[in-house]
Amino acid sequence: MSIINSIQAIQIIDSRGTPTVSCKVILDNDIYATSMVPSGASTGSREALELRDGDSTYMGKGVSKAIANIHEIIAPELVGMDVTNQQDIDEKMLALDGTSSKEKLGANAVLGVSLAVLDAGSQTLELPLYQYINQVFADINGEKPMMQMPIPMLNIINGGEHADNNIDIQEFMIMPVGANNFSQAMQWATEIYSDLKNILNV
């Protein structure tokens, strides 16, 4: 077993200049892993909720409340747990939050810890992260899905709030389903993208 020894979190700035959460999980064998929570500019109505400070700093987008929740609520409950018990750790955080949208602790707090735990678990078992995720999934669902390269999804038309057009849908995406391999999938997708551009320019 590899035991969670400490969980630390800090506020960092993402590529858009917006604060987000970085979390570090340290194990009793000195293995550690760090996560950085992604934060999109657009949010959906059913999306898990980030916890933001709402004060005068960073236009209300600071994450000190989420960080405090990691230090004061999440860490005391997870320290001492086996880092490879990903499902138990995630379920404990969901229970601590108690909401469907993760609005109490903040999705940015819960996700930051979960991602760091996942990485630390993969290091503990000396597995590449993708193989470890496959193993975690098998432990939860009882069967290990076949690993394969993902089917790429490509955004070909933008609309919505951030676009300079009147299209209501934010992203039109294509998936080259049926390709024999990843290279062929990318070829099909880029050819479709180029043909669409030509059609729209007519």
Side-chain angles (χ1 to χ4, degrees):
M1 287 200 314
S2 293
I3 302 302
I4 297 175
N5 195 46
S6 70
I7 301 174
Q8 304 162 8
I10 59 171
Q11 175 175 279
I12 61 172
I13 306 300
D14 69 14
S15 61
R16 292 188 178 92
T18 304
T20 191
V21 174
S22 176
C23 183
K24 184 176 185 179
V25 169
I26 303 172
L27 308 183
D28 61 350
N29 57 8
D30 294 329
I31 287 175
Y32 68 89
T34 303
S35 67
M36 291 173 280
V37 177
S39 178
S42 303
T43 55
S45 60
R46 300 181 187 276
E47 195 166 318
L49 298 177
E50 295 177 321
L51 183 60
R52 298 285 180 176
D53 294 342
D55 57 16
S56 59
T57 62
Y58 294 103
M59 294 170 285
K61 294 185 177 180
V63 292
S64 62
K65 291 180 180 178
I67 289 169
N69 285 342
I70 291 173
H71 291 153
E72 297 168 12
I73 299 174
I74 296 175
E77 293 293 326
L78 300 190
V79 167
M81 292 186 71
D82 183 347
V83 75
T84 61
N85 289 339
Q86 183 76 38
Q87 183 179 8
D88 292 344
I89 289 168
D90 287 344
E91 287 179 353
K92 178 161 278 194
M93 286 192 289
L94 293 178
L96 287 170
D97 179 85
T99 69
S100 60
S101 61
K102 303 172 184 65
E103 63 187 82
K104 179 182 174 185
L105 298 178
N108 42 354
V110 172
L111 180 60
V113 174
S114 183
L115 290 173
V117 165
L118 190 68
D119 190 2
S122 73
Q123 292 184 54
T124 295
L125 297 184
E126 299 182 348
L127 290 173
L129 185 57
Y130 73 92
Q131 286 185 3
Y132 182 64
I133 291 171
N134 185 258
Q135 178 174 309
V136 168
F137 186 88
D139 290 342
I140 293 171
N141 294 288
E143 62 179 66
K144 188 177 289 188
M146 181 181 68
M147 286 187 287
Q148 60 186 14
M149 288 292 287
I151 298 172
M153 297 179 67
L154 290 90
N155 180 9
I156 58 172
I157 300 176
N158 286 313
E161 183 178 349
H162 304 289
D164 57 356
N165 56 46
N166 61 357
I167 300 173
D168 292 333
I169 297 173
Q170 182 171 323
E171 294 175 343
F172 290 84
M173 304 186 79
I174 57 171
M175 292 179 66
V177 176
N180 293 320
N181 51 53
F182 192 83
S183 295
Q184 187 180 56
M186 287 302 297
Q187 177 191 337
W188 287 3
T190 55
E191 289 173 352
I192 291 168
Y193 182 82
S194 296
D195 284 346
L196 176 64
K197 182 178 180 180
N198 293 333
I199 292 167
L200 294 178
N201 285 334
V202 171

